[in-house]
Amino acid sequence: MAGATIDHLIAVTTFLTAFFIFISLYSQTLQTAIIYQRHHQLAIKCSDLLDNILLNPGYPPYWGQQNSTPTSFGLQDPESSQYVLSPFSIMRLRSLTGEPVYYPKTELWYSNITMGFGNFLLVPYTEVINYSTVLGLLGINGSYGFQLTITPLIVVSISEVQPTNPLTLAVNVSGKGFPLANAIVNYCFLTVSTGGGSYPYYTIEYGTALTDEKGVVLLNFTDVNGLADSYALIVYARLSGLLGVGYYEHIIHDENYVVPFIGDLERREVIIAHSYDVHSGDAPAEISFNATFVILTNNFTLREIPLENSTGRINYGEGKPYKKITIPSYNPGILIITYRKSAVETGVILMPWGLSSMAFPVTFGGDPSNQEWVATDIRNVIVNDIPYQVKLALWDLRGFSIVGGW
């Protein structure tokens, strides 16, 4: 009798153990299926949200060329269709690329998209669109977080190989992880000159070359001394209908230089500031400058557009040590500013008017690094004839995870 009772207890215990194991495994499987479904829904939401951003211009349609906050968010060029974006709407996104810059003379902070010394794009916080605003405009505030990354498809990098006899620059053209062999390279070589006048100016030389099987081409300039002359090289690389932009500046000093800030986007104003008032320095001095606005023509030359008040002098520490110039139109182009401290100390600064003119990248949004699950999707787009890749990373702020199990 006692043996039967023991057998019965053992059987019941075994049954209950098996039952709870089954329930636990079933619960875990069910939760895994639910989480998979949520991940799938997040991926669909990511794709839909990315298309919503890229396939509508927002409202008002030309908000990228204004100072006001849009009431609807989108990056599409209002004069185009499909995946064609506005270079000015992208320019108004508050960038995560560089550290913000404070300019005491305007008492403003600036969103910083600077691609190395001499290549500036600084937009005041009063005119950029921040992350929280866009979350609200997209209707996902409190539910989702995202990061939007916009990078050029064609990368053109330039380096100095030999400074003189002759000056030799290497141009490297690549796609997403592979070199572009036999790409056509059209270049614009700018040399800064004083010519004995009050303000510096540049002379320009054009040329064409082809990259080798490694995507590299060497450019030689026999009349330039890289040890004593300031110059800039702007390169346009083409292959199979795709276009990339690269640039390189060499100056013979970096203690005193000009810093361009977007002053008023709607009025197309640019502030020309003294570097000492932005970053300080050891030996500040007066600078004379000469600003030129250029746009790219169909034959890959630079056409100059006249500017008012294009020359001037700036000094540090004055009540208003900066000058203002006005870009004549919303045609994307490059603001070229040649400057000098003395007859021999010169330099050149480039600023894109419209983000794509110099193929600047932008990263906008939140930080996905500590999220449990992040869905991503990508699109290839065109920004003023420059191909870009747009990547959206999206995560759910409500959170979920698997619980239970053995």
Side-chain angles (χ1 to χ4, degrees), residues 154-177:
I154 306 299
V155 178
V156 181
S157 58
I158 304 171
S159 59
E160 185 180 83
V161 176
Q162 181 174 288
T164 187
N165 297 324
L167 168 66
T168 304
L169 300 175
V171 179
N172 192 312
V173 184
S174 62
K176 287 292 183 180

Side-chain angles (χ1 to χ4, degrees), residues 2 9 33 44 50 53 113 131 139 145 169 178 228 232 249 257 289 310 315 348 363-364 374 377 382 387 389 400 402:
L9 291 174
I44 294 175
L50 182 57
I53 292 172
I113 312 175
Y131 177 46
L169 300 175
F178 57 90
E249 293 105 317
Y257 55 93
F289 71 89
S310 60
N315 213 337
V348 57
T363 300
F364 172 76
V374 179
D377 205 351
I382 297 294
Q389 185 177 91
F400 44 84
I402 300 175

Side-chain angles (χ1 to χ4, degrees), residues 267-270 293 306-309 324-329:
R267 296 179 180 178
R268 306 185 305 279
E269 287 182 352
V270 176
F293 181 66
L307 293 175
E308 295 182 1
N309 303 318
K324 288 184 178 181
I325 61 173
T326 301
I327 304 292
S329 73

Side-chain angles (χ1 to χ4, degrees), residues 86-104:
S86 164
F88 295 100
S89 296
I90 300 173
M91 200 167 78
R92 288 194 64 189
L93 300 179
R94 181 169 170 175
S95 172
L96 297 176
T97 306
E99 291 294 326
V101 174
Y102 180 70
Y103 183 38

Side-chain angles (χ1 to χ4, degrees), residues 286-307:
E286 183 182 74
I287 299 174
S288 61
F289 71 89
N290 189 352
T292 307
F293 181 66
V294 299
I295 60 175
L296 183 66
T297 66
N298 291 332
N299 60 351
F300 295 94
T301 59
L302 301 178
R303 180 162 65 91
E304 295 184 5
I305 307 297
L307 293 175

